[in-house]
Amino acid sequence: MKVVFSERAYVSVLAETAEKIRTETGGVFLGYIDGDCWYIVEAVDPGPKSVFQVAFFEYDQSYLNHLVNKLARLYETPPGLIGLWHRHPGSFDSFSGTDDGTNTRYARMRKEGAVSMLVNIDPAFRMTVYHVTLPLRYRKVEYEVGDRFIPEKYRALAPAERLLNYIDGYACGGARRKKFPEEPLFAEVLCILRRTSLNVEDYIRGDMLRRERAELFVEELLGKLEDDLEYFSGAGAEAEISLDEYCLHLCVRGRESYDLSFYRIQYRDEPYFIFRFDGCSFVYTGGLFTLLMADAKTAAKNGGAVDKELVECSLSKLEKN
């Protein structure tokens, strides 16, 4: 395995370390995984509401998720959240128990695991990069810095012409939303999905449906949402993520807007993700919308109906996986 930092990402780590030279600090990495190569193109700062102390550091999670989405839109191929970094005091270049918990959440986001990097100043600046996998296991990996080591497709910015066309179309009173050719089918699937709604409140004690702070589960949820976010992007829809104190919101925009709110609940000592849409509750499994739409398109192509049975069949596939 090899990790490559863009010059911008490397300088971002240096700049953040220099700014918080007397305390711990850190950030997250955006990039791409291509075979055995991990390309880090952005290192996002931790945010103004982070906790910076000499031997303790805590991220401003709401800020991070806002900026991660903003930066990803700048690239022709949006990078994903693939890791994190933070500074340790002195020469301590191993992870604490608190770090283990954070690294576990990041490693759970994708099957390949995550990159977790420690920065030390002892007395010179030093970076130690680890590959984190589950069950929790650390392996030191080599890294190099330089844009020339990163394929052009991962450095390409979003085409200005595409953005200008959208802006000009909006200003001229044209289409105010991105084209989402599959939107009618998506709306139909959501309509049918409502009929398969799980009445979560019937199965979960009222106090167990308590909403938890989004930062406690957002990394894991974003990992589960990865396939669906890629689907929406590829299908031409605009998918925007935001956080409030209690949950993660996903707004899918085409001609219309579809607002989904995701929560983490506990049922019989097992954690579940649910989402609410149009007053209905559903258990969410990674890749749900990708699979539903694939099955719906296949049914439509073969002259079949997008009906309740098809949705239930798609859901059963996810349960088996």
Side-chain angles (χ1 to χ4, degrees):
M1 173 180 173
K2 180 177 68 173
V3 174
V4 180
F5 291 87
S6 71
E7 292 165 16
R8 174 185 169 92
Y10 179 65
V11 171
S12 294
V13 172
L14 290 172
E16 179 60 28
T17 303
E19 184 177 341
K20 299 294 189 298
I21 194 69
R22 298 181 183 278
T23 64
E24 286 198 13
T25 188
V28 299
F29 294 136
L30 293 182
Y32 312 89
I33 302 172
D34 190 342
D36 205 34
C37 292
W38 293 52
Y39 299 105
I40 295 173
V41 296
E42 295 279 352
V44 183
D45 74 273
K49 294 183 180 179
S50 297
V51 178
F52 304 99
Q53 296 180 5
V54 173
F56 178 75
F57 165 68
E58 185 175 298
Y59 297 94
D60 179 351
Q61 195 64 60
S62 296
Y63 169 89
L64 276 179
N65 283 279
H66 163 76
L67 197 54
V68 162
N69 281 289
K70 288 288 187 182
L71 289 173
R73 295 192 192 109
L74 298 181
Y75 290 81
E76 184 169 16
T77 302
L81 185 64
I82 62 172
L84 69 165
W85 74 275
H86 71 287
R87 179 186 168 188
H88 264 188
S91 300
F92 182 52
D93 57 6
S94 297
F95 295 105
S96 67
T98 300
D99 295 337
D100 287 343
T102 302
N103 287 330
T104 296
R105 291 198 298 273
Y106 273 76
R108 192 180 293 134
M109 290 172 56
R110 57 181 68 242
K111 64 181 184 298
E112 299 93 344
V115 164
S116 187
M117 186 180 81
L118 293 175
V119 165
N120 296 97
I121 304 175
D122 57 356
F125 176 86
R126 177 166 62 89
M127 303 193 316
T128 308
V129 181
Y130 292 86
H131 180 213
V132 188
T133 53
L134 296 178
L136 188 60
R137 186 174 293 113
Y138 297 110
R139 177 168 63 99
K140 284 186 180 181
V141 296
E142 298 296 322
Y143 72 87
E144 55 188 358
V145 177
D147 292 348
R148 67 186 184 279
F149 302 124
I150 300 176
E152 172 60 30
K153 63 181 178 180
Y154 298 142
R155 291 185 283 121
L157 298 178
E161 183 179 357
R162 185 176 69 198
L163 298 173
L164 284 171
N165 287 340
Y166 177 80
I167 295 168
D168 292 344
Y170 186 94
C172 295
R176 299 197 171 196
R177 299 293 188 196
K178 292 180 68 177
K179 292 181 179 179
F180 182 15
E182 297 171 8
E183 182 173 359
L185 193 59
F186 180 67
E188 188 176 355
V189 165
L190 283 179
C191 181
I192 296 168
L193 191 60
R194 281 198 294 268
R195 301 177 209 162
T196 68
S197 170
L198 295 177
N199 196 350
V200 176
E201 290 83 352
D202 285 350
Y203 297 94
I204 312 296
R205 299 199 313 273
D207 61 332
M208 298 301 288
L209 193 61
R210 183 183 62 211
R211 299 169 179 175
E212 298 183 19
R213 290 183 62 83
E215 59 263 31
L216 297 180
F217 69 93
V218 68
E219 296 97 342
E220 183 179 356
L221 178 55
L222 285 173
K224 290 181 176 293
L225 279 167
E226 183 179 2
D227 287 344
D228 285 333
L229 293 177
E230 286 184 5
Y231 157 69
F232 288 127
S233 176
E238 180 180 337
E240 181 174 319
I241 289 176
S242 61
L243 294 170
D244 63 21
E245 186 178 4
Y246 302 108
C247 66
L248 182 147
H249 301 284
L250 172 62
C251 181
V252 179
R253 294 194 179 99
R255 292 284 182 179
E256 304 294 334
S257 293
Y258 307 89
D259 296 301
L260 314 174
S261 298
F262 292 78
Y263 304 90
R264 186 179 187 276
I265 61 175
Q266 202 80 9
Y267 174 52
R268 293 178 180 174
D269 297 325
E270 291 291 331
Y272 290 88
F273 290 106
I274 65 167
F275 71 94
R276 293 185 64 82
F277 170 71
D278 200 20
C280 299
S281 300
F282 311 87
V283 173
Y284 178 76
T285 305
L288 173 66
F289 300 112
T290 304
L291 181 60
L292 285 175
M293 289 300 293
D295 285 350
K297 285 186 286 186
T298 298
K301 183 178 179 180
N302 295 333
V306 182
D307 55 18
K308 184 172 181 288
E309 286 70 25
L310 182 143
V311 170
E312 290 175 340
C313 179
S314 298
L315 294 174
S316 68
K317 289 181 186 177
L318 288 171
E319 291 171 0
K320 290 177 182 178
N321 292 332

